[in-house]
Amino acid sequence: MSREQYLAGAAAAVLVVALLAAVVVPGVVAVPSDEPLRPGPVRVAEDVAVAPGDVGGATAELELQTRVRHDGNPARNVSVRFRAYDAESGLLKAEETVDLGTLDAEGSVPVDTTLRVDREGGYVVETTVFRDGEAVDSRRRQVAGMEALVPSYAQTAVRFTDSEAVPPLSVSVDAVDEAANRTTLRVAASLTNGGDAVNDDLRVEFVARQADSNLVAARASADVGSIRPGRTVDAAATLTVPSEYNYYVDAALYKDGVLVGTARSVANLDPTERIAANETTREVEFEVSDFEGGGAGGGGVPTEAGAERTTGAQTPGFTAGVAAVALLAAALVARRRSR
């Protein structure tokens, strides 16, 4: 027998032994394990929805809702952390964490919580998904105009009438006493109930302030009573003030002792000078918008790649690949020696 034939026979023997061992000896060749190699990916499925909840005088609740998506193998110890940062200072103002436990089924699950923050300024709301203590995805949204939220105790559908034909507050001269140098003004506030229920326990307070000194010259109040839905009523009173001065006339609407609205007009009694009501106002509204610049997760892109369902690690031992490598190595050795 030549040397080449001997080496080829030895390589074949190694292959036969490896294949027999795979059949006879359990665990010699690796087999797929039932244990997953890595947990399935989880991510924020949609931007967090923000809505105002209970509103107090100094604080307000932000009701947060989102969904978390899970795919692939079971993911253990999944939680969602919600944080509210002050939009100007960046300081953390509120935080809540919701534990989801183990996610087995593929799909999305709803997650919601409530954060209580100060009723002023704006906030950046951050939603972060954790798996086994590791942050894997994050989203951000911006909330502005918290001061526009009306406290629960001050909520009413009655407002000063907003119409070009009907002013919210009208002022007229009712009488003049030249001997006493006094003028009686008739002031009337127009109020409209824009809601669906009857509103009562309403009161309007009128104040006349001398324009130059800002001193209160007169005040009066009027009980409104009940206003049915969609109806408009007037609350009127008289104010007696010194003549030949100009006045700012303010009307304040109270519901059960809570200030819910104001209106202003003027009374020009000085013939040499006139004033106008300052109608410059800045509308503040509660607003939720996307956070420009993205959060820790960029626009919600997970920090991990979505993995397919995988198998566990292999047990130590020979594999068919090892046997093939051994056969190839023996053939190469035989070829070199034949040269």
Side-chain angles (χ1 to χ4, degrees):
M1 180 181 293
S2 65
R3 179 178 298 176
E4 291 78 3
Q5 292 175 333
Y6 175 79
L7 292 175
V14 171
L15 178 58
V16 172
V17 170
L19 294 177
L20 290 175
V23 175
V24 177
V25 183
V28 173
V29 177
V31 295
S33 172
D34 293 335
E35 290 296 325
L37 177 63
R38 57 181 301 179
V42 290
R43 59 184 176 85
V44 181
E46 60 185 33
D47 289 334
V48 61
V50 184
D54 179 65
V55 181
T59 62
E61 289 183 346
L62 295 178
E63 296 181 349
L64 311 179
Q65 294 181 338
T66 189
R67 299 186 73 87
V68 171
R69 174 78 187 187
H70 164 254
D71 296 295
N73 300 325
R76 296 179 175 85
N77 299 325
V78 178
S79 62
V80 182
R81 184 187 68 193
F82 298 90
R83 281 182 170 180
Y85 296 92
D86 186 275
E88 294 185 0
S89 67
L91 295 177
L92 177 63
K93 294 297 184 178
E95 176 181 339
E96 289 290 341
T97 299
V98 179
D99 293 325
L100 301 181
T102 299
L103 298 182
D104 295 311
E106 294 188 354
S108 63
V109 295
V111 186
D112 58 85
T113 190
T114 301
L115 297 179
R116 180 165 286 276
V117 295
D118 293 337
R119 192 174 65 88
E120 61 181 7
Y123 296 89
V124 175
V125 178
E126 180 186 69
T127 306
T128 306
V129 179
F130 290 86
R131 187 188 58 201
D132 277 335
E134 177 186 2
V136 294
D137 193 18
S138 181
R139 296 279 186 94
R140 283 187 168 190
R141 300 210 74 175
Q142 186 147 1
V143 179
M146 293 293 297
E147 59 271 24
L149 297 177
V150 179
S152 302
Y153 56 75
Q155 292 180 0
T156 178
V158 176
R159 293 288 185 268
F160 286 97
T161 304
D162 185 13
S163 170
E164 295 181 357
V166 180
L169 180 61
S170 60
V171 181
S172 60
V173 175
D174 188 63
V176 177
D177 187 346
E178 295 182 356
N181 193 32
R182 292 290 186 270
T183 298
T184 299
L185 303 174
R186 186 182 186 277
V187 291
S190 179
L191 305 173
T192 299
N193 182 359
D196 299 326
V198 175
N199 275 255
D200 50 18
D201 200 11
L202 299 168
R203 177 176 59 88
V204 179
E205 183 172 332
F206 302 97
V207 177
R209 294 180 294 107
Q210 203 274 328
D212 294 329
S213 65
N214 205 39
L215 293 176
V216 175
R219 68 171 62 240
S221 63
D223 292 328
V224 181
S226 298
I227 305 179
R228 290 182 295 165
R231 302 306 196 273
T232 298
V233 301
D234 285 342
T238 57
L239 301 173
T240 301
V241 297
S243 303
E244 299 184 357
Y245 291 96
N246 294 329
Y247 298 91
Y248 291 111
V249 180
D250 294 316
L253 174 62
Y254 291 88
K255 176 178 173 57
D256 193 21
V258 178
L259 178 65
V260 296
T262 60
R264 168 174 289 187
S265 186
V266 296
N268 288 301
L269 304 183
D270 185 352
T272 63
E273 184 180 4
R274 298 182 64 84
I275 61 173
N278 183 10
E279 297 180 353
T280 301
T281 59
R282 181 174 64 91
E283 293 293 335
V284 178
E285 297 181 357
F286 179 78
E287 180 183 2
V288 179
S289 60
D290 292 332
F291 182 80
E292 297 181 2
V301 180
T303 57
E304 61 176 357
E308 299 290 339
R309 186 174 295 272
T310 57
T311 60
Q314 295 178 338
T315 56
F318 295 104
T319 64
V322 174
V325 171
L327 179 60
L328 179 60
L332 291 175
V333 172
R335 184 178 180 182
R336 286 186 178 181
R337 296 205 174 194
S338 65
R339 292 180 180 178

